[in-house]
Amino acid sequence: MAYEELKLERQLCFKIYALHRQLMAAYRPLLDELGVTYPQYITLLYLWEHEEATVGQLCSALGLDTGTVSPLLKRMEANGLVSKRRLVSDERTVQVSLTERGRILEEEARSIPSYMATCLFGGDEADAETLATVLDRTIRQVSETRKR
Amino acid sequence: MAYEELKLERQLCFKIYALHRQLMAAYRPLLDELGVTYPQYITLLYLWEHEEATVGQLCSALGLDTGTVSPLLKRMEANGLVSKRRLVSDERTVQVSLTERGRILEEEARSIPSYMATCLFGGDEADAETLATVLDRTIRQVSETRKR
DNA sequence: GGGCATCATATTGCGTACAATGTAACAGAG
DNA sequence: CTCTGTTACATTGTACGCAATATGATGCCC
């Protein structure tokens, strides 16, 4: 059982952890130009697609909890990327929407995905497909196991 | 070019980010019993294998920088897991070694890798092999690209 | 052997992450 | 209508993670 040893290089989890940090480092120079962090970037990805969202929708779409998202949105609001308002129909829920500045950033972000695709695979689409498939299956597997 | 769109579910990087956090959440209850966090756990993995290490060796083995590792070791020292001393031969370098308590934890950690393997793949070794291979290739590719 | 670049760590500042807690708004039972 | 439980967010506290900076030790050039 190769992956059941207490050795660092064998640990699949460590590889994912390492890759995650490599990816963040690869994104950083690109996102610095936009003046956002990675979690802010994926928040924008969601909003570019849906125009607006409640805090709860963002939390579940991004898989983050309110303790992370709430101050993140506060910083994004301070930077003029999004605006927040409470719903009249339910004063508890907060609607987040893009500002003009937040919308404009989408244009500047257009080149990022293709750059990152190259960075990840050097253009090898087959590898991308394989990794995507296995990742999806693994994510599902882990979240299933965690429910019990 | 499916992975070059500004859509969240399409983004391979987001999948890795999501899986990373799922894994940390899966580890948490296990590591809580040992009283350590995941970065502390992988530090212990290294020390269980090598008995002792300099701060620099730990940084490069774990791929973390000194600003992360230094306070992490401070906390581990405060919890009685490791001890630190400066080398006589070079007063700049700090040797980290396991305390008795740190060594004993290895026994309590024995069951973690097999539990996590099940959690990740439900015991499917083939998937593990595939993922490990693709991850290694991708990690190498990203770090190569980042050097330029 | 004095001066200086380099090296090994430590510290500071900012932004996540998440558990735990707080708070105001809503919803339903009676 | 009131009481109570729930919901949607916000806040607090602790621990990363990294860029930038600080600090002391070492090595080397002259």
Side-chain angles (χ1 to χ4, degrees), chain B residues 91-110:
Chain B
E91 289 281 340
R92 289 172 304 179
T93 80
V94 172
Q95 273 273 339
V96 182
S97 32
L98 288 166
T99 60
E100 195 50 36
R101 190 159 127 58
R103 238 184 307 273
I104 289 171
L105 275 192
E106 185 172 7
E107 296 310 315
E108 301 180 39
R110 285 247 183 265

Side-chain angles (χ1 to χ4, degrees), chain B residues 8-142:
Chain B
L8 198 51
E9 329 80 56
R10 301 272 191 177
Q11 298 269 331
L12 211 36
C13 298
F14 178 70
K15 291 186 202 296
I16 292 160
Y17 172 63
L19 178 55
H20 161 67
R21 282 177 298 110
Q22 288 264 347
L23 286 177
M24 294 304 108
Y27 265 113
R28 198 159 299 120
L30 307 179
L31 297 181
D32 276 352
E33 296 200 22
L34 307 192
V36 298
T37 62
Y38 183 76
Q40 291 175 17
Y41 170 67
I42 59 173
T43 302
L44 288 173
L45 281 182
Y46 187 89
L47 290 172
W48 288 333
E49 199 176 343
H50 298 89
E51 191 60 32
E52 58 181 13
T54 67
V55 173
Q57 283 167 346
L58 280 171
C59 286
S60 77
L62 308 183
L64 293 167
D65 86 14
T66 164
T68 300
V69 172
S70 184
L72 181 145
L73 291 171
K74 206 171 176 178
R75 285 185 291 271
M76 290 180 77
E77 189 182 28
N79 291 335
L81 299 174
V82 301
S83 61
K84 296 189 291 184
R85 67 170 193 286
R86 290 191 177 270
L87 287 187
V88 191
S89 58
D90 185 343
E91 289 281 340
R92 289 172 304 179
T93 80
V94 172
Q95 273 273 339
V96 182
S97 32
L98 288 166
T99 60
E100 195 50 36
R101 190 159 127 58
R103 238 184 307 273
I104 289 171
L105 275 192
E106 185 172 7
E107 296 310 315
E108 301 180 39
R110 285 247 183 265
S111 61
I112 293 180
S114 77
Y115 176 85
M116 286 305 297
T118 310
C119 176
L120 275 159
F121 306 106
D124 184 339
E125 287 278 327
D127 257 14
E129 208 57 59
T130 306
L131 185 51
T133 306
V134 184
L135 282 177
D136 278 335
R137 191 155 55 230
T138 308
I139 289 170
R140 208 174 320 118
Q141 175 72 33
V142 175

Side-chain angles (χ1 to χ4, degrees), chain A residues 16-30:
Chain A
I16 292 160
Y17 172 63
L19 179 55
H20 161 65
R21 282 176 297 112
Q22 289 263 347
L23 286 178
M24 294 304 107
Y27 266 112
R28 197 159 299 121
L30 307 179

